[in-house]
Amino acid sequence: MQFLKKLFGKKEEPESTVTIECAGSLEWDAESDYWVGTHSGTTISVAYDGLSKPNEDLARFVTQTIGQQNFLENTVSEIKSVARAQYPENRHPEIEELRAKDVVFQDPNFILIQFFGPEDHEPFWFAEIHGSKIFVGCDT
């Protein structure tokens, strides 16, 4: 029923603040269409899918993911490994300096991690995590 509501129904007004276990309090950001908060110094964003708050599956995925010990550190380490294998050696020092700026939970089993350049809203590296697969890109 929820699927049909999302497909054919009118979108609900997003709640201004939602709380997700492990992620804490997230504020609605109309510009990005995400609920946004901070976890351990990193921006956490949760996608809007037409419901007033994140659906249960996505909220559970966020909780389980962030609740994993050293999730971000381990994930960034894996991303760097994939990037080093994918990009030439002259890019490796740049890859080693990558720091996650935004972890975007799009839907269960899809996370986008953005790494920003010198200008705050200029992403130049990103990683898409689809289940257990990691895809790394560079936008220079």
Side-chain angles (χ1 to χ4, degrees), residues 17 46 50 120 124:
T17 303
V46 178
D120 236 3
F124 71 103

Side-chain angles (χ1 to χ4, degrees), residues 108-134:
N109 294 315
F110 177 29
I111 302 170
L112 171 67
I113 299 180
Q114 299 173 332
F115 305 88
F116 289 103
E119 298 297 319
D120 236 3
H121 297 291
E122 183 182 310
F124 71 103
W125 285 91
F126 60 91
E128 290 186 6
I129 304 169
H130 298 269
S132 63
K133 295 182 181 184
I134 297 174

Side-chain angles (χ1 to χ4, degrees), residues 17-124:
T17 303
V18 296
T19 301
I20 298 177
E21 188 179 338
C22 294
S25 181
L26 306 170
E27 300 293 323
W28 175 249
D29 179 17
E31 187 176 319
S32 66
D33 268 356
Y34 294 126
W35 286 279
V36 180
T38 304
H39 178 73
S40 300
T42 302
T43 301
I44 301 293
S45 300
V46 178
Y48 170 68
D49 66 356
L51 302 175
S52 63
K53 58 185 179 182
N55 74 47
E56 291 178 27
D57 290 339
L58 180 55
R60 187 173 24 260
F61 177 63
V62 171
T63 298
Q64 291 171 345
T65 302
I66 293 177
Q68 294 173 18
Q69 188 172 12
N70 300 318
F71 153 72
L72 192 55
E73 295 85 1
N74 293 340
T75 303
V76 169
S77 179
E78 286 181 60
I79 290 167
K80 289 179 181 182
S81 179
V82 169
R84 282 191 303 272
Q86 186 175 328
Y87 288 89
E89 199 168 308
N90 66 330
R91 301 296 298 271
H92 291 191
E94 181 181 355
I95 291 166
E96 289 309 310
E97 294 300 315
L98 293 178
R99 300 290 179 262
K101 290 284 189 163
D102 195 6
V103 179
V104 183
F105 291 87
Q106 299 283 351
D107 62 47
N109 294 315
F110 177 29
I111 302 170
L112 171 67
I113 299 180
Q114 299 173 332
F115 305 88
F116 289 103
E119 298 297 319
D120 236 3
H121 297 291
E122 183 182 310
F124 71 103

